[in-house]
Amino acid sequence: MVPVDDRERSELFERTVLPHLDSAYNLARWLAGNDHDAQDIAQEASLRAFKYLGSFRGDNPRSWLLSVVRNSFYTWLRKNRPTEKMVEMTDDILDLEDPSGGVEALNPQFADADAVRRAIAELPVEFREIVILREMEGFSYKEIAELADVPIGTVMSRLARARKLLQKGLTAAFKPGDQR
């Protein structure tokens, strides 16, 4: 349905976009790293979603909105943080060693949500967004590929690399004798 007037556009926006604003803010928060910037990004994405609502085609408004949030974030990032940590895909990234010998080496009694949040926040943005979309928002690899406009293989490799980086960071954070 293509909205004809502002009233129809508003009603369509309320039905299709508003139910997903929490997910939009969540993604913006994780990508930006703080509440203030996330609010700006989510607001800009909401305005864009309202403006371009007529271009929505498909059956997944949540995915569409998060794609708008993602695009709004990258526009915001270029303007506000041109030096944000980005990753160049190199062989070094592919060959990250697992120093722990496995997840079992982590002592679960030391694992805490703050350490996991910090480890996710320290990921380069390309990896962080994939982890958030997969692990927190529950998107499939195919949905993430469509949302991020990248091949599904890129989604899978970024997620694998992100998980290795997370494991490496958490292993270092919880190594025996670590006094946090």
Side-chain angles (χ1 to χ4, degrees):
M1 173 180 156
V2 177
V4 176
D5 61 23
D6 285 343
R7 185 186 57 75
E8 286 181 10
R9 180 185 303 274
S10 293
E11 289 173 1
L12 184 59
F13 184 83
E14 287 178 20
R15 283 194 317 271
T16 59
V17 175
L18 282 184
H20 307 293
L21 286 182
D22 286 344
S23 291
Y25 176 78
N26 185 49
L27 178 60
R29 173 66 178 85
W30 276 103
L31 292 175
N34 66 70
D35 291 322
H36 177 75
D37 294 336
Q39 289 170 358
D40 290 347
I41 293 163
Q43 182 176 12
E44 176 63 24
S46 296
L47 291 171
R48 286 182 184 182
F50 185 79
K51 181 177 180 180
Y52 296 107
L53 192 56
S55 70
F56 170 62
R57 305 282 184 266
D59 58 352
N60 192 341
R62 181 170 164 252
S63 179
W64 178 75
L65 177 60
L66 293 187
S67 180
V68 174
V69 169
R70 182 184 179 277
N71 292 336
S72 297
F73 167 73
Y74 280 106
T75 299
W76 176 89
L77 185 66
R78 282 189 296 277
K79 290 179 185 174
N80 296 285
R81 292 189 204 157
T83 60
E84 175 78 16
K85 183 167 54 173
M86 302 287 273
V87 169
E88 182 178 328
M89 301 300 172
T90 64
D91 289 339
D92 294 344
I93 303 252
L94 287 172
D95 296 329
L96 284 174
E97 290 294 323
D98 177 6
S100 68
V103 175
E104 308 80 37
L106 288 177
N107 188 338
Q109 71 182 8
F110 295 116
D112 63 47
D114 287 338
V116 174
R117 280 188 208 97
R118 281 190 306 273
I120 291 171
E122 290 173 4
L123 289 173
V125 70
E126 297 95 333
F127 294 165
R128 190 168 59 230
E129 75 174 333
I130 300 297
V131 168
I132 300 308
L133 292 171
R134 176 71 180 153
E135 305 301 340
M136 295 183 182
E137 294 297 332
F139 283 101
S140 70
Y141 293 160
K142 181 181 178 196
E143 290 171 322
I144 295 169
E146 291 170 1
L147 189 151
D149 196 26
V150 297
I152 197 167
T154 300
V155 170
M156 292 171 19
S157 65
R158 285 183 184 174
L159 187 57
R161 291 171 185 159
R163 286 175 175 160
K164 284 183 180 181
L165 287 170
L166 282 172
Q167 185 177 20
K168 184 178 177 183
L170 289 171
T171 299
F174 296 123
K175 66 183 171 195
D178 184 19
Q179 303 296 322
R180 291 187 299 145

